[in-house]
Amino acid sequence: MKINWDVIVVGGGPAGLFAAWEIAKAGKSVLLCERKREMGVPVRCAEACGEEDINKYLPVEKRWVAARTDSFIIVLPNGKEIKLSNEKYSGFILNRDLFEYDMAAKASELGTKIMMKANVIDLIHNDDGSAKGVKVDENGTINEYYASVVIAADGVESRIARKMGIDTTLKAKDIEPCVQVTASNVNLKENALYIYIGTNYAPGGYAWAFPKANNCANIGLGINGKYASTEKYSKEYLDEFLATYYPHVSVQKYITGGVPVSLTLKTLCKENMLIAGDAGRMVNPLNGGGICHAIDSGVLAGKAAIEACDDPLKIEKIFKKYEKEIYKIIGKRHESQYKIKDVVYQMNDEDYNNIGDEILKISEDKRSFFRIFSQVVKHKPEFLIDVVKAFTGI
């Protein structure tokens, strides 16, 4: 196998796959290294996605869609349900394993070389500090591969960015330990995304039930890291949740993982390396969603890498442009969401129930997230003050 490439992509999630796909389309040689033994597995994701998030790049294939959704149902601590139904809430639940498997095939067909069970353990540096390649552990054998550009798309635990001297550490409050089951015999009443809010479910986070085909669903929860303790783990919260709301389901599989709920990294490039997806903290800090941001950042990273290969003398300018684009479409919005995250988490179950009762008085066709926010402010005026303080830094 050849050792010299235009671009090396580390990580085979949505960010890495879309980066490789974009680069290969341009005719550049690209090597993608994925440490897992099977593409798309395990799925550490609730799998909810907006159709346009994928459709703007390529048509959504039928087998990628596990279930269509057309509404949100917010379940209050007292069990009452608030339904939000509107075309803007429509989307679907991915079969993410099939989606990633197929995207790997598409990238490969265009020329991407994909290596599985290829654990990138270190960078190979030039004298000026740039990365001229990577060291890869392949079943105990260490091999070296070289490239003009390296893309770090190796997830929330990204080691490659740290190898380039970029600080990727997270505070406890900026990560949520999550646990999820895929279960059968769930029988959700509607094609809706069920969101359960309240400290009795998940302190500092929320629980969810997202429908899949054949009466199956992804059911899980995440708690904010500052509430995590050795006295009660996320799995114990989930077991209690399942016993209360879904006692008759059969669990097919468990998955666990940490989800970053922080600001997007400000440093997304250094020398000849780019960072994309979860590795760059491109996850919505309020709801933990990251698929669409991973795809967008992967495509943008791929385009920046192509430009850099064509005009290496302008690599710094090209990569800074990538950083600015990510901030514009992802980072700026995340700053706003992050600033109200802690304010939202200050609310207790009584607050949620009282506000929910007011929202339930509004007819379903007039409900919206803005109306919900209005009721929050009406019920707790200090909430608005806290939000203003968060935005202004007062």
Side-chain angles (χ1 to χ4, degrees), residues 1-15:
M1 180 174 144
K2 73 174 189 174
I3 62 172
N4 294 304
W5 303 84
D6 290 321
V7 184
I8 292 175
V9 178
V10 183

Side-chain angles (χ1 to χ4, degrees), residues 26-79:
K28 305 298 183 186
S29 63
V30 53
L31 171 66
L32 187 150
C33 299
E34 171 53 59
R35 66 182 179 180
K36 295 182 296 189
R37 65 176 60 246
E38 183 177 351
M39 189 61 71
V41 179
V43 175
R44 289 176 175 167
C45 177
E47 301 180 285
C49 189
E51 188 151 0
E52 184 56 29
D53 297 331
I54 297 174
N55 247 345
K56 61 186 175 184
Y57 298 117
L58 76 170
V60 173
E61 296 185 12
K62 185 176 181 180
R63 82 191 209 112
W64 299 347
V65 180
R68 294 280 176 181
T69 60
D70 57 15
S71 55
F72 277 92
I73 293 179
I74 300 171
V75 183
L76 301 169
N78 59 17

Side-chain angles (χ1 to χ4, degrees), residues 310-327:
D310 289 337
D311 197 351
L313 294 179
K314 293 183 179 179
I315 190 169
E316 183 177 357
K317 181 179 179 181
I318 293 166
F319 282 10
K320 284 299 180 183
K321 178 185 173 186
Y322 166 77
E323 246 180 8
K324 290 178 181 178
E325 287 178 317
I326 292 297
Y327 179 75

